[in-house]
Amino acid sequence: MTVCTFAFVFGVLTVATFFFRLPVGLRRWVFTLGSAAFVSLLVPNRASWVALGAFLVSGWATAHVVSRRRSGFVLAGYLAALLVVFVVLKKYAFLQFFVPRQILDHPIGIVGLSFMLFRQIHFVVDAAEGQIEPVPSLWIYLNYQLNLFTLLSGPIQRFNDFRAWWDNPVPLHQDRHDLFKAIWRVLTGVLLIAVVGSLFQKMSDRALTDFALVRPKDYLRIPIIFYTFPAYVFFNFAGYCEIVIGAASLFGLKLPENFNRPFFARNMIDYWMRWHITLSIWIRDYVFTPLFTALVRRRRESAQSFAMLCYFVALFLAGVWHGASLNFIVFGLLNGVGVAAAKLWETRILKSGGRAGLRSYLQSRRVRSVAMVANFHFACLTMMFFTPNLALAALAHLHGR
Amino acid sequence: MMPYSEELQGVFREVFDDDGIVLRPDMTAADFDGWDSLQHVTLMIAIETRFNVRFATAEISKLKNDGSTIGTMLEILGAKLGHP
């Protein structure tokens, strides 16, 4: 079950027509039933149900413990254990060197587990820091985690934003115009995935197959792959976000935006604040900031070097999170290099021209245009490592030669 | 402005290396050149050190998000310093 299906779109639009005619308590039940039905279509077996339950209940219980008695040891221990469980459940390839095969052959498959991990880490950390008060009931937490609009691939909504809606699920759209705009947004998402994204996917796949296997000397296929594959990834994910953000709004639930014209970014730092925004902000809040803060508190004079290191580590982890195969490691490394280089460049301008120099650099239209084109191509280059297929095709091509 | 806003202004001037900064409650990150994630964390650490307070992860994040102003920062800081 995906969100770009007739069943999902028709079902959501139908329920939205009567959702706000129900009493508030019943609205929550309808939401819960919708999410439960959606999840039940995605969980393949009993072992997966048990693992899913244990995964989520552990986060809720730990949040209760660390919110009452703030213990860095308990928090760090739990997060480490959670990450170990996560990589085992996801069967990361590198585990074959450390973990017995019987364990890695487990039948557990949980769709959306990666996004549950993000929400769970945020929930536990914020509860420990007193930012989620009071820690909610298990029932509300499960509704937050298994929300059918964010279950598969985000956007990563923060718990307090969800709770504000849960406590008072009222309409978001004030008039028919707003309502139609939301419905149009859902339908636009369907078109982006089913028509535009699909078209770019076919072009990319065909060029890839041709270049790898059929016409290895037809180098014109390379630019086709270079531009169409990133376009496919963008339209597919942006379309998904249009559907879920538009659909959730029909139920009064405002989800955070995930894209803001990423291919118009002037550098890779800017790019990551426009592409998969909720993931970028999550990485900033729960990887970059704690790591950088911890290092700088120890040695403030090395802040600049630590910043490069933290940018690199944060983006590298973001890349590896997408998958454990070698191509994702390269994807992460390239992104890490990209953001670190952008920061170094800015630091250099600041040193040579001061604040005024940086201001005129940032305001120059010519610089912005050149930077946008250059960054667009670098972003496309990183995307070449977003799928194992391209790496395999390159190998097949080299082997064929 | 709050009693500690001048001290906060001093922290801003030091972190952004710009003696011309004059804080107003309605200012946002867009009003400062080069206020990115790194500069934000640097600023937060400088404020923590100057005022002897600690920001939670969610507070640091909130102060960088769209819609957050110097006024928001003053409110959060004020709450930590016991000035309602």
Side-chain angles (χ1 to χ4, degrees), chain A residues 181-229:
Chain A
K181 265 170 67 179
I183 294 169
W184 179 244
R185 193 168 184 183
V186 174
L187 299 178
T188 304
V190 172
L191 286 174
L192 287 180
I193 295 177
V195 180
V196 186
S198 178
L199 183 71
F200 280 118
Q201 184 185 22
K202 277 184 187 151
M203 288 167 71
S204 168
D205 284 353
R206 193 178 301 157
L208 191 60
T209 313
D210 273 4
F211 185 62
L213 306 170
V214 186
R215 286 176 237 162
K217 289 196 174 167
D218 187 355
Y219 292 102
L220 276 177
R221 305 282 156 183
I222 294 175
I224 296 176
I225 298 165
F226 189 79
Y227 294 116
T228 55
F229 182 72

Side-chain angles (χ1 to χ4, degrees), chain A residues 262-282:
Chain A
F263 294 131
F264 288 90
R266 64 182 304 144
N267 59 42
M268 287 306 282
I269 296 174
D270 189 22
Y271 173 79
W272 274 100
M273 291 316 289
R274 292 162 173 265
W275 173 279
H276 205 166
I277 296 167
T278 57
L279 172 66
S280 306
I281 293 178
W282 189 95

Side-chain angles (χ1 to χ4, degrees), chain A residues 268 308 311-313 315-316 330-344 378:
Chain A
M268 287 306 282
M308 301 305 143
Y311 269 128
F312 190 82
V313 169
L315 268 296
F316 175 67
V330 179
F331 175 73
L333 286 171
L334 277 176
N335 276 288
V337 168
V339 289
K343 194 64 207 170
L344 273 174
F378 185 79

Side-chain angles (χ1 to χ4, degrees), chain A residues 129 285 297 343 355 359, chain B residues 16 33 36 48 57 61:
Chain A
E129 294 184 337
D285 291 349
R297 277 185 185 137
K343 194 64 207 170
R355 283 279 146 197
R359 193 173 301 133
Chain B
F16 285 94
D33 293 322
D36 58 14
E48 284 183 344
T57 306
S61 177

Side-chain angles (χ1 to χ4, degrees), chain A residues 61-80:
Chain A
T62 306
H64 261 281
V65 171
V66 293
S67 70
R68 284 180 197 159
R69 193 168 154 267
R70 291 181 191 177
S71 161
F73 180 74
V74 172
L75 180 65
Y78 174 72
L79 293 179

